[in-house]
Amino acid sequence: MKAREHWSSGLGFVLAAAGSAIGLGNIWKFPYITGENGGGAFVLIYLICILVIGMPVMLCEITLGRHTQRNPVGAFRAVSPGSSVFAHLIGILVVLGGLIMLVFGSWGWGALLLVIGALIFRFGWTMAGAMGVMSGFVILSFYSVVAGWTIGYIWKALAGSLSFNTVSEAGAYFKVYSTNPWWGIGCHGLFMIMCIMIIYKGVRRGIERWSKILMPVLLLLLVVLIVRGLTLEGAVEGVRFYLTPDFSKIGARSVLIALGHAFFSLSLGMGAMITYGSYVSREENIFRSTLFICILDTAIAIMAGLAIFPAVFAFGFEPGTGPGLAFQVLPAVFHQIPAGSLWAALFFLLLLVAALTSGISLLEVVTAYFVDERRWSRHRAAMFFGFVIFLIGIPCSLSIHGWERVEWLHVPLVKVFQVSQASFFDFMDDLASNWMLPLGGLLISLFVGWIWGTKKAIEEIRHGSRNFADVHLVALLAGLRDDPSHNSPIHVLTLASLWGIFIRFISPVAVTIAFLFTVGWLKL
Ligand code: TRP
C-alpha cells in the first residue's frame, strides 16, 4: 500500500483546516446572525461556545484522525471496541423507535429508522463515520449553489450590471438571477469543477497548495474591504450596531444559534477534521494547531462584520435583512461608493475564496472514504462524486425560492417524510445543520470521551505537544509555569485534564440539550 500523504508542514495543515473552517458561514452568515441577536452580547456567547465546545470537539476529531490515519469511517472502525454490546443496544433502541414511528407516526421515517437501527446493530460505531460521509454529500450540494452565485456576481459586478439604487431593486434582481437555471446551475457546476480540480491533485499539491495561496488572498481582501468600509462617513454607526452588546436580545434561542453556528463554522460534526487530521504527522503539536484554527476562524468571522456593517450604515440601509444581506443589500451599498463595481467584485471574490477552501474539505471527506475503504483512485473518486454532488445540487438550485419547479421531488418527499421546509434547498440545509452535524458532534465526543477513552486520546495528543498539554494552568496563570514546586504529581489543572472534562461531560450534555430543542422535546 502507498504511504499516506501528509501535509508538508504544520503551517500547511493549519491553513488548510482554517480554510475549511472559514467559509460562507463566517462571511455571509455570522455577521447577520450577530446583527439580529444582540451584537457584542452574541459575540460573547459565541466565544464561549467556541472555547468550551468547539475547540475540545475539534481536538477530538483531529486526534482521532491523526491516530488512525484514516477517513471518518475507517477511523471509527479502527478504534472501535471489541465488544459491540453497546452498539447492539443502541441499534435495538433505534429499531424500537422505528417501530413506534411506523405504528403511530410516519411510515417513511419509521422505515428509515428501522434500516438505520439494523445498520447500527451490525456495524456499530462505524455508522457514525458513515453519517459524516453522507453529510458531505448533503452539505456540499447546497453549499455549492450559494458559492456558485458568488461566481456569477463577480462576473456581473465586473460587467457593471449590479447598479441598484435601492435594496428592493437589488432583491428583485437577485430573485431573477438565482431562479435562472442557466446561472444557478451553471455557476454551481463551475464551482464543483473548481473543487474537483483541487481535490484531484491530492493533499499537498491540491488542498495545501491552494490553501496557502487562497488564505492570504482572503485576508488581504478582507482587510482592504474593512479599511474601505471604516473610512466612509458615518461608518461608526455600523460598528456600534454590530458590536454594542444588547443583552435584552439574548435568550435560550440565541445560545442555540451560537452553538449550532460554532459547529458549522468550525466544520465539526461530520469528520472533516478527522480527515484533515489524518494527514497530520506525529511530530505536530495538534493542541496548538487547534488553537490557531479556532482563533483564525473566529477572528475572520468578526472581521467580516466590520467589512459589511459600516458600509451598510454609512448609506442608511437597513441591516436586519437576514440571509439576503450579502446578495441583496450589499450590491445596493456598493453602488453608492465610487468605483463600486470594483468593490462589489472584490467582495464576491472574497466570498468565493472562502467558499472554495471549505468546499474542497467537504469533497475530500467523501473522496478519502472511497480511496481508503473502497480502493478507488483519488482521480476517479474526486470526479465521480463531484459529479454526483453536482447532480444533487441541481434540485437545490431549482428550488431556491420554493418547490414549484421540483414538484416531482416535493410530492414523494411530502408523502414519505412529510417535509415541511420551504424548499429542497432549505430541507437539505435543515437536515445537515440541525440534525446530522449535531448528532455527529455528539457521537464523536461520546466516542472519544468514553469509548476510545480520553486516556488513549491524550497519549496521541502528547506526541508533539507534551509541554503544551501538560502545562499546569494554575501555575501558568500565576506566572510560575516552570516553578519546580508545581511539578507535583497531584494534578492541579492542565490543558489535558481540562479537555478531558469538557469532552466527557460538557460537550455531550450541551449538544444533547441543544438537540432536544431541535427535536421539540424541550420547548423555548
Ligand atoms: N465551515 C464552513 C463555513 O463556515 C463550512 C464547512 C466546510 C463545513 N466543511 C464543513 C461545515 C464540514 C460543517 C462540516 O462555511
Side-chain angles (χ1 to χ4, degrees):
M1 224 180 92
K2 259 200 348 219
R4 197 175 188 74
E5 207 181 345
H6 281 157
W7 309 107
S8 69
S9 65
L11 179 71
F13 165 57
V14 169
L15 286 182
S20 166
I22 298 167
L24 296 173
N26 301 57
I27 295 171
W28 165 69
K29 194 161 179 209
F30 182 81
Y32 82 76
I33 55 177
T34 302
E36 285 174 348
N37 286 283
F42 181 80
V43 174
L44 200 68
I45 294 189
Y46 180 73
L47 287 179
I48 296 173
C49 290
I50 294 276
L51 209 66
V52 175
I53 298 164
M55 230 148 67
V57 173
M58 179 177 290
L59 186 57
C60 270
E61 288 204 18
I62 296 176
T63 308
L64 189 58
R66 186 176 73 170
H67 182 75
T68 58
Q69 299 278 302
R70 286 277 176 289
N71 66 92
V73 172
F76 273 100
R77 181 183 304 129
V79 288
S80 273
S83 140
S84 39
V85 178
F86 190 67
H88 284 172
L89 206 70
I90 299 284
I92 292 170
L93 281 178
V94 174
V95 166
L96 282 179
L99 287 175
I100 294 174
M101 284 293 273
L102 266 183
V103 177
F104 296 107
S106 121
W107 58 270
W109 289 111
L112 190 67
L113 283 186
L114 283 187
V115 174
I116 294 177
L119 287 171
I120 296 177
F121 189 88
R122 168 74 182 75
F123 295 108
W125 282 98
T126 312
M127 284 305 292
M131 186 173 71
V133 175
M134 283 187 276
S135 312
F137 284 93
V138 176
I139 299 175
L140 189 50
S141 67
F142 70 83
Y143 200 81
S144 165
V145 170
V146 180
W149 297 338
T150 69
I151 303 179
Y153 263 58
I154 296 172
W155 175 257
K156 295 274 185 188
L158 291 175
S161 38
L162 296 185
S163 47
F164 316 109
N165 291 309
T166 62
V167 175
S168 54
E169 255 176 65
Y173 182 83
F174 173 68
K175 185 139 190 188
V176 171
Y177 164 83
S178 56
T179 39
N180 177 333
W182 296 110
W183 278 108
I185 298 171
C187 291
H188 154 59
L190 219 57
F191 181 79
M192 281 313 301
I193 290 177
M194 293 183 190
C195 291
I196 291 171
M197 290 200 316
I198 297 178
I199 292 308
Y200 185 96
K201 287 278 186 185
V203 174
R204 266 194 208 191
R205 295 198 312 135
I207 305 174
E208 181 174 342
R209 174 152 157 250
W210 281 96
S211 302
K212 278 182 169 165
I213 297 172
L214 293 175
M215 294 315 282
V217 170
L218 179 129
L219 195 65
L220 185 75
L221 286 173
L222 192 55
V223 169
V224 169
L225 284 164
I226 290 176
V227 171
R228 173 68 277 197
L230 288 178
T231 49
L232 291 167
E233 208 166 314
V236 207
E237 260 321 294
V239 181
R240 203 168 289 149
F241 165 81
Y242 179 42
L243 293 177
T244 304
D246 177 356
F247 285 94
S248 71
K249 286 199 189 146
I250 294 286
R253 178 143 212 99
S254 2
V255 177
L256 269 185
I257 294 177
L259 181 61
H261 188 66
F263 257 80
F264 187 84
S265 187
L266 292 176
S267 300
L268 298 176
M270 61 157 286
M273 291 297 162
I274 297 183
T275 310
Y276 274 19
S278 75
Y279 306 126
V280 176
S281 81
R282 273 285 155 78
E283 285 73 50
E284 268 336 303
N285 181 341
I286 48 179
F287 232 125
R288 199 179 47 191
S289 306
T290 304
L291 194 67
F292 281 155
I293 298 163
C294 293
I295 290 176
L296 276 173
D297 184 66
T298 311
I300 299 277
I302 294 177
M303 283 166 74
L306 289 179
I308 294 173
F309 287 116
V312 171
F313 274 80
F315 298 106
F317 286 105
E318 256 310 304
T321 34
L325 188 63
F327 294 96
Q328 299 176 28
V329 180
L330 286 184
V333 171
F334 285 126
H335 186 55
Q336 306 291 318
I337 304 178
S341 300
L342 182 71
W343 294 107
L346 286 182
F347 176 77
F348 289 110
L349 184 64
L350 171 74
L351 267 185
L352 174 63
V353 167
L356 188 57
T357 47
S358 301
I360 56 177
S361 74
L362 290 159
L363 185 56
E364 178 61 23
V365 173
V366 176
T367 305
Y369 166 71
F370 282 92
V371 170
D372 290 350
E373 307 295 314
R374 309 260 154 198
R375 301 271 173 266
W376 283 47
S377 79
R378 165 173 286 276
H379 293 175
R380 199 162 75 123
M383 290 197 293
F384 184 78
F385 291 103
F387 186 67
V388 169
I389 291 168
F390 167 69
L391 293 181
I392 307 175
I394 292 177
C396 289
S397 170
L398 287 175
S399 87
I400 187 68
H401 296 291
W403 290 94
E404 294 82 30
R405 291 188 295 168
V406 287
E407 275 308 324
W408 53 271
L409 196 65
H410 191 203
V411 173
L413 278 176
V414 169
K415 274 223 178 82
V416 181
F417 297 114
Q418 294 83 40
V419 296
S420 56
Q421 285 83 356
S423 68
F424 186 59
F425 182 96
D426 293 332
F427 169 70
M428 296 294 262
D429 183 9
D430 183 49
L431 183 66
S433 310
N434 298 333
W435 299 87
M436 295 170 90
L437 293 182
L439 197 58
L442 176 64
L443 291 175
I444 286 169
S445 47
L446 282 180
F447 184 75
V448 172
W450 298 94
I451 308 291
W452 185 33
T454 39
K455 215 166 135 187
K456 287 190 193 132
I458 208 72
E459 253 169 54
E460 176 62 42
I461 293 172
R462 283 207 177 102
H463 291 287
S465 53
R466 170 171 292 280
N467 296 332
F468 215 75
D470 294 329
V471 165
H472 284 200
L473 286 184
V474 179
L476 182 71
L477 280 179
L480 296 171
R481 181 172 161 175
D482 298 317
D483 187 78
S485 69
H486 287 272
N487 291 332
S488 66
I490 306 156
H491 278 97
V492 190
L493 202 52
T494 63
L495 275 176
S497 56
L498 203 59
W499 174 76
I501 295 170
F502 280 3
I503 222 54
R504 282 160 73 94
F505 303 101
I506 313 234
S507 316
V509 169
V511 180
T512 307
I513 292 176
F515 203 62
L516 292 180
F517 277 109
T518 311
V519 181
W521 289 356
L522 282 178
K523 290 253 184 302
L524 289 179

